[in-house]
C-alpha cells in the first residue's frame, strides 16, 4: 500500500497550486501583457443576414467567453497562441473555428440551423480542447438541445440512441451504460472532470447524476486507461453539468417535463452569472413518477421513484486562468421491482402480519391505489450522493496547470424488511477523494505535450443489517504522458501510463490486502485528405483491476439463486482494441463509419461450482438453497461496427434523413457451460429518423421541426446461456414521433416546446439488456418477466432566462 506517498503528493502539489494563484499570475504576467490581442467580429444568421444578439463566443480551453451586443458584435482579448472557438446561439448549430492569434483579428461568423453540423470540440480525448475532426478516437458529442428533444426517463436512457451505446436497465429509474458490449465498472463516468464513484459493480446501481442539469455529454468509445486509469477499459462518458457563462451575462433556464405513461413530473431551475471575472451559479431539480405501464403487465408494481437534486458553484476567471468550486447533491428514492404475481397474474406485495405467537410477512395482491403516488414501497433504495469539487486551470510559465481535487460521498441504503420498515437491510457508505494534476506544455512546432498524475483514495463502510461485500479501503496512483503532433493534414497522437492500485479489506478470513499494477498506451492517426474526407486509425491498450464484489464477495445475491464467492487470485483485465474510421461530409450529406476489434485478456465472469461428487455445489442459508458460484476469468474477443448517414437533399435543406446502425459481437475463447457468448451484448440496432425543420425568420415562430423515428432492434439469438444466465430475446420495432418549436419575441428567445410520442404503437417488448426480463413468470399468461414501458407522451417546456 502507498497511503503516505499519495497523501504527500496531493498535499505538495495542492499547496503549491491553491495557496499561491498570484504567483502563477506573475509568472506569465509580463509575457501576457506583451502578447495580448483583440478578436472582434459579428455573428449573423446565415440564411437572412440578420444579426444575432446574445450569441455566445466561447473558448473551451480557458472557459472564457462573451456575448454579442444588440448589433451582433463582440470583442474579446486573448494571449498569443492557438485556440478553438465555439460560436453558438439557441436554435442554431454550433460553429467551430480553429484560429491562431499573433495579432488583432476580425472574425465574422454566420450560423445556420438546417445544414449539416460543423465540427465539435472535445476535451475528453486529450484533456485539452481539440477538434473532433482531428481526433483519431471515435467520439460522440450530445448537446443540451439534443437531450431536450428526447424522452428518456433517466440520463443513460437518454444516451441510448448514441451509436455503440446501450443500457442495462432495472426499470425506468436505473440504467447502467454499456459501450460496445462492455459495462459495469469497465465504463468510466466523469462528471465535470471528476470520476463518478458509487457502486458501479452492482446491477441495481445507476450513475446518480442530475439529468436536468447537463450541458453536454462526450462519449469516448475506446479504452482510455492512458489518461483516466482503471475502469476506462471500454470507454468514457464525460458529463458536463456546469459551464460558466460569458463575461457580463446572467443566464439560466426554467424547465418542466411531463410524461404520460408513469405520470412523471420534472422541474428544473438554474441561473448563472459572470461579473468582471467573478462567476457563480445555482441549480435545483425535482422528479416524481408513479408506476409505469404496458399492455401485457398493466401497471408494474413498485416502479415508482422520486428525486430531488441541487447544486451551486462560485469562482474567479482572470488572465492567469480560473478557479471554480462546485458542490452538488443527488437524492433519490426508488422502488425495487421484484415482479412477483399470484395465479391470476396480479402483482403481489409484502404485508406485515402481527400475530399473538409471531410476526410474519405474507404476500397479498396489489390494488389500484398501490400504483399511484411516487413514494416507493418495500423493497426500495435511497441513494444520496454528495460531491465537492475544486477545479483550477492556471497559467504557469508558458504552459498551463490543470488541478482538480474532489471529495464525494455515496450513501446507498436499501430497505427490505416489511416487519421493520425503517431497518436498513443494506447501507453502503462510500467516501472517495479524487485528485488530478496535469501540466499542458506550450505548443511548439505543432507538438502538444501533456504530463499528469491522478489517483484516488477510497473507503467503504457497511452500516446495514446485512453484508454483501466486506468493508474496504483502496488507493490508486497513476502517471501518464500524452502528446499530439500535426504535420500538414496528418495528426498523430499517443502516450503511455503506469499505475498502482492497492486494496485492503476485512472479510471472513480477516484483514487481507491485494496490489495491482499495470501499464497502458495508445497511438492514433487522423488524415484530413481534403475538406470532405477524414480517415482515422487508433490502437489502445487498457486495463481494469477486479472490483470488490469480484475479489471479496461472500454471500447470497438477492434476486437470484446464486451464492457468490470472491476470488483473490483474479488478475487485471487487459484490453487491446483496434479502431478504423472515416468521415465524409459536404453541405448536404455527412457519413461516419467505425469498425473495431477488441481483445480482452482475463475477462472476469462467474461460474457454477462443482462439489466432490461432481454435482452442483449447493449452499443452505437460513433454510433457503443457493447454487454456489465463484468468479473466474478467461480471454474474450469483441468486434463490431457503427455508422451514421445524415442526408439533407437540396433544395430541401430542412429535411434530414438519418440512419444509424450499431452492431457488436462478443465471444469467449472457450465455451462456458456450453456457451461461448459474452453476457450483456446488445443485438443489432438500426435507427431511422426523418426530420423536417421549418420556420420563417421574419416571424416570431421559427426553428420548428417534426420527426418520425423507427427504432429497429433485431433478435438476440446469441445470448450467454451458461448457468441459465440469459435467454434469447425477440426483436421489435418502435415508432417514435416528435415535434418542437422555438418561439421568439423582438429577436429574443422566449421558450422552446417539445412533444415526443415514444412507442406510439404501444408495442409490448423486452429489451435484451433489461434485468426485469428475468423476474418471475406470470402464471396466468405463461410469459416470463416484466416488459418495458408502453406508449409514452413526453411534453417539455424550456424558458431561457437572459439578463445580459
Amino acid at each position: 500500500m502507498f497511503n503516505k506517498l499519495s497523501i504527500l503528493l496531493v498535499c505538495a502539489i495542492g499547496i503549491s497550486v491553491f495557496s499561491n494563484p498570484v504567483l502563477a499570475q506573475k509568472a506569465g504576467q509580463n509575457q501576457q501583457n506583451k502578447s495580448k490581442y483583440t478578436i472582434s467580429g459579428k455573428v449573423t444568421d446565415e440564411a437572412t443576414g440578420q444579426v444575432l444578439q446574445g450569441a455566445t463566443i466561447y473558448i473551451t480551453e480557458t472557459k472564457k467567453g462573451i456575448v454579442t451586443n444588440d448589433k451582433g458584435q463582440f470583442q474579446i482579448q486573448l494571449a498569443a497562441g492557438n485556440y478553438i472557438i465555439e460560436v453558438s446561439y439557441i436554435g442554431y448549430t454550433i460553429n467551430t473555428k480553429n484560429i491562431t492569434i499573433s495579432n488583432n483579428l476580425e472574425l465574422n461568423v454566420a450560423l445556420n440551423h438546417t445544414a449539416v453540423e460543423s465540427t465539435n470540440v472535445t476535451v475528453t480525448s486529450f484533456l485539452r480542447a481539440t477538434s473532433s475532426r482531428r481526433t483519431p478516437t471515435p467520439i460522440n458529442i450530445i448537446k443540451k438541445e439534443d437531450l431536450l428533444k428526447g424522452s428518456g426517463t433517466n440520463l443513460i436512457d437518454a444516451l441510448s440512441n448514441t451509436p455503440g451505446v446501450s443500457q442495462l436497465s432495472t426499470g425506468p429509474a436505473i440504467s447502467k451504460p454499456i459501450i460496445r458490449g462492455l459495462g459495469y465498472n469497465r465504463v468510466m463516468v466523469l462528471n465535470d472532470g471528476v470520476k463518478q464513484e458509487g457502486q458501479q459493480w452492482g446491477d441495481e446501481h445507476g450513475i446518480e447524476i442530475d439529468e436536468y442539469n447537463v450541458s453536454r455529454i462526450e462519449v469516448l468509445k475506446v479504452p482510455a486507461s492512458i489518461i483516466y486509469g482503471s475502469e476506462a477499459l471500454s470507454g468514457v462518458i464525460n458529463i458536463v453539468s456546469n459551464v460558466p457563462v460569458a463575461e457580463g451575462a446572467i443566464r439560466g433556464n426554467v424547465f418542466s417535463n411531463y410524461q404520460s405513461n408513469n405520470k412523471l413530473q420534472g422541474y428544473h431551475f438554474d441561473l448563472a452569472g459572470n461579473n468582471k471575472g467573478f462567476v457563480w451559479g445555482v441549480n435545483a431539480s425535482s422528479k416524481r413518477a408513479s408506476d409505469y405501464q404496458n399492455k401485457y403487465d398493466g401497471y408494474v408494481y413498485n416502479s415508482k421513484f422520486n428525486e430531488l437534486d441541487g447544486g451551486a458553484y462560485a469562482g474567479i476567471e482572470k488572465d492567469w486562468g480560473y478557479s471554480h468550486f462546485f458542490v452538488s447533491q443527488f437524492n433519490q428514492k426508488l422502488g425495487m421491482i421484484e415482479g412477483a404475481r399470484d395465479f391470476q397474474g396480479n402483482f403481489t406485495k409484502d404485508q406485515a402480519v402481527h400475530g399473538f405467537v409471531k410476526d410474519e410477512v405474507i404476500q397479498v395482491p396489489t390494488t389500484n391505489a398501490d400504483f399511484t403516488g411516487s413514494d416507493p414501497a418495500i423493497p426500495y433504495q435511497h441513494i444520496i450522493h454528495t460531491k465537492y469539487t475544486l477545479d483550477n486551470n492556471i497559467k504557469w510559465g508558458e504552459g498551463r496547470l490543470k488541478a482538480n481535487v474532489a471529495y464525494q460521498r455515496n450513501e446507498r441504503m436499501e430497505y427490505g424488511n416489511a416487519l421493520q420498515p425503517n431497518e436498513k437491510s443494506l447501507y453502503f457508505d462510500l467516501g472517495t477523494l479524487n485528485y488530478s494534476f496535469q501540466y499542458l506544455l506550450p505548443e511548439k512546432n505543432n507538438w502538444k505535450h501533456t504530463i499528469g498524475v491522478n489517483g484516488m483514495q477510497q473507503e467503504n463502510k457497511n452500516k446495514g443489517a446485512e453484508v454483501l461485500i466486506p468493508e474496504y479501503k483502496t488507493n490508486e496512483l497513476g502517471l501518464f504522458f500524452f502528446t499530439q503532433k500535426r504535420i500538414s493534414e496528418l495528426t498523430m497522437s499517443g502516450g503511455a501510463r503506469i499505475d498502482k492500485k492497492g486494496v485492503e479489506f476485512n472479510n471472513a478470513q480477516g484483514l487481507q490486502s491485494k496490489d495491482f499494477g499495470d501499464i497502458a498506451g495508445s497511438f492514433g492517426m487522423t488524415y484530413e485528405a481534403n475538406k470532405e474526407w477524414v480517415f482515422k486509425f487508433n490502437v489502445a491498450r487498457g486495463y481494469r483491476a477486479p472490483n470488490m464484489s469480484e475479489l471479496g464477495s461472500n454471500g447470497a445475491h438477492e434476486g437470484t439463486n446464486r451464492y457468490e464467492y470472491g476470488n483473490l487470485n483474479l488478475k487485471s483485465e487487459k484490453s487491446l482494441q483496434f479502431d478504423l474510421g472515416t468521415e465524409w461530409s459536404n453541405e448536404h450529406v455527412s457519413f461516419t463509419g467505425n469498425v473495431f476489434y477488441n481483445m480482452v485478456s482475463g475477462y472476469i465472469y462467474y461460474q457454477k461450482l462443482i462439489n466432490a461428487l461432481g454435482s452442483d455445489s449447493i449452499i443452505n442459508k437460513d433454510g433457503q438453497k443457493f447454487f454456489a458460484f465463484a468468479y473466474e476469468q478467461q480471454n474474450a474477443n469483441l468486434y463490431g461496427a457503427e455508422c451514421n448517414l445524415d442526408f439533407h437533399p437540396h433544395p430541401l435543406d430542412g429535411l434530414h434523413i438519418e440512419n444509424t446502425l450499431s452492431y457488436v459481437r462478443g465471444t469467449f475463447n472457450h465455451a462456458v457451460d456450453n456457451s461461448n457468448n459474452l453476457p450483456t451484448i446488445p443485438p443489432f440496432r438500426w435507427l431511422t429518423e426523418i426530420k423536417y425543420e421549418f420556420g420563417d425568420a421574419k416571424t416570431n415562430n421559427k426553428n420548428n421541426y417534426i420527426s418520425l423515428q423507427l427504432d429497429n432492434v433485431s433478435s438476440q439469438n446469441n445470448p450467454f446461456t451458461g448457468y441459465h444466465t440469459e435467454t434469447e430475446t425477440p426483436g421489435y420495432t418502435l415508432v417514435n414521433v416528435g415535434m418542437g418549436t422555438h418561439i421568439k419575441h423582438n429577436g429574443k428567445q422566449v421558450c422552446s416546446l417539445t412533444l415526443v410520442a415514444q412507442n406510439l404503437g404501444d408495442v409490448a417488448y423486452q429489451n435484451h439488456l433489461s434485468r426485469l426480463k428475468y423476474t418471475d413468470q406470470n402464471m396466468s399468461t405463461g410469459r416470463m418477466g416484466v416488459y418495458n414501458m408502453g406508449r409514452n407522451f413526453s411534453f417539455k417546456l424550456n424558458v431561457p432566462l437572459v439578463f445580459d
Side-chain angles (χ1 to χ4, degrees), residues 136 175 228 517 583 628 804:
S175 292
Y228 300 104
E583 297 178 8
D804 295 344

Side-chain angles (χ1 to χ4, degrees), residues 419-437:
L419 292 174
Q420 300 182 44
N422 294 323
E423 177 189 79
K424 299 179 180 68
S425 300
L426 294 174
Y427 185 176
F428 297 104
D429 190 355
L430 181 67
T432 306
L433 173 67
N434 302 88
Y435 55 90
S436 176
F437 304 97

Side-chain angles (χ1 to χ4, degrees), residues 180 595-599 637-641 663-667:
R180 291 178 165 180
V595 295
F596 70 92
Y597 190 85
N598 190 1
M599 297 178 288
N637 298 288
L638 299 101
Y639 55 89
Y663 172 76
V664 61
R665 181 84 167 90
T667 60

Side-chain angles (χ1 to χ4, degrees), residues 567-579:
N567 184 351
L568 273 175
N569 296 317
L570 294 175
K571 308 295 184 182
S572 293
E573 292 180 341
K574 299 177 178 65
S575 167
L576 182 63
Q577 181 168 308
F578 298 86
D579 280 88

Side-chain angles (χ1 to χ4, degrees), residues 338-601:
E338 295 187 314
R341 284 176 265 216
D342 59 21
F343 286 101
Q344 287 73 44
N346 301 309
F347 284 102
T348 60
K349 62 178 181 179
D350 291 343
Q351 181 171 296
V353 177
H354 301 282
F356 290 104
V357 179
K358 66 175 183 177
D359 297 335
E360 61 180 341
V361 177
I362 62 173
Q363 293 286 305
V364 299
T366 53
T367 65
N368 290 336
D370 293 315
F371 303 121
T372 60
S374 61
D375 293 323
I378 287 177
Y380 72 92
Q381 59 180 348
H382 183 192
I383 300 102
I384 302 175
H385 191 100
T386 307
K387 182 162 52 181
Y388 307 91
T389 304
L390 183 61
D391 185 33
N392 303 269
N393 186 324
I394 297 173
K395 179 76 174 178
W396 199 277
E398 294 184 354
R400 285 194 168 273
L401 177 66
K402 287 187 173 183
N404 187 297
V405 177
Y407 176 78
Q408 51 190 315
R409 183 184 181 190
N410 185 278
E411 300 172 83
R412 179 178 180 261
M413 296 156 279
E414 185 171 316
Y415 298 82
N417 188 345
L419 292 174
Q420 300 182 44
N422 294 323
E423 177 189 79
K424 299 179 180 68
S425 300
L426 294 174
Y427 185 176
F428 297 104
D429 190 355
L430 181 67
T432 306
L433 173 67
N434 302 88
Y435 55 90
S436 176
F437 304 97
Q438 299 115 28
Y439 186 66
L440 282 59
L441 280 74
E443 181 176 347
K444 292 183 179 179
N445 299 322
N446 291 323
W447 281 101
K448 296 180 181 179
H449 304 306
T450 301
I451 57 175
V453 55
N454 49 33
M456 178 180 77
Q457 294 186 19
Q458 190 173 80
E459 181 176 8
N460 182 72
K461 298 178 180 179
N462 289 319
K463 298 180 178 180
E466 303 174 9
V467 175
L468 291 182
I469 61 172
E471 294 187 340
Y472 64 88
K473 296 180 181 179
T474 66
N475 274 272
E476 296 182 21
L477 180 64
L479 304 171
F480 70 89
F481 171 77
F482 196 88
T483 187
Q484 184 182 24
K485 171 67 172 178
R486 181 170 173 81
I487 306 173
S488 187
E489 291 80 17
L490 179 67
T491 303
M492 297 181 292
S493 60
R497 178 189 182 94
I498 184 170
D499 252 294
K500 179 76 171 177
K501 178 176 181 178
V503 181
E504 182 180 272
F505 56 94
N506 191 359
N507 61 9
Q509 285 74 42
L511 191 66
Q512 293 186 294
S513 62
K514 184 79 173 180
D515 290 330
F516 300 91
D518 226 308
I519 59 174
S522 72
F523 174 75
M525 297 185 297
T526 300
Y527 179 66
E528 299 177 88
N530 50 47
K531 292 183 178 180
E532 295 181 342
W533 280 103
V534 179
F535 300 94
K536 301 184 177 186
F537 169 77
N538 192 77
V539 57
R541 184 187 188 275
Y543 58 89
R544 179 186 74 94
N547 61 46
M548 281 309 304
S549 177
E550 295 161 342
L551 288 172
S553 61
N554 186 0
H557 192 82
E558 297 297 331
T560 71
N561 63 345
R562 301 194 308 267
Y563 190 99
E564 294 182 0
Y565 291 100
N567 184 351
L568 273 175
N569 296 317
L570 294 175
K571 308 295 184 182
S572 293
E573 292 180 341
K574 299 177 178 65
S575 167
L576 182 63
Q577 181 168 308
F578 298 86
D579 280 88
L580 187 64
T582 185
E583 297 178 8
W584 180 83
S585 63
N586 62 19
E587 185 180 359
H588 299 286
V589 182
S590 69
F591 171 80
T592 302
N594 295 283
V595 295
F596 70 92
Y597 190 85
N598 190 1
M599 297 178 288
V600 182
S601 172

Side-chain angles (χ1 to χ4, degrees), residues 199-219:
Q199 284 86 28
Q200 297 95 318
W201 47 266
D203 288 319
E204 298 170 347
H205 307 190
I207 62 169
E208 291 121 26
I209 294 174
D210 181 5
E211 174 192 2
Y212 293 153
N213 193 48
V214 173
S215 298
R216 63 185 274 136
I217 303 174
E218 299 183 8
V219 181

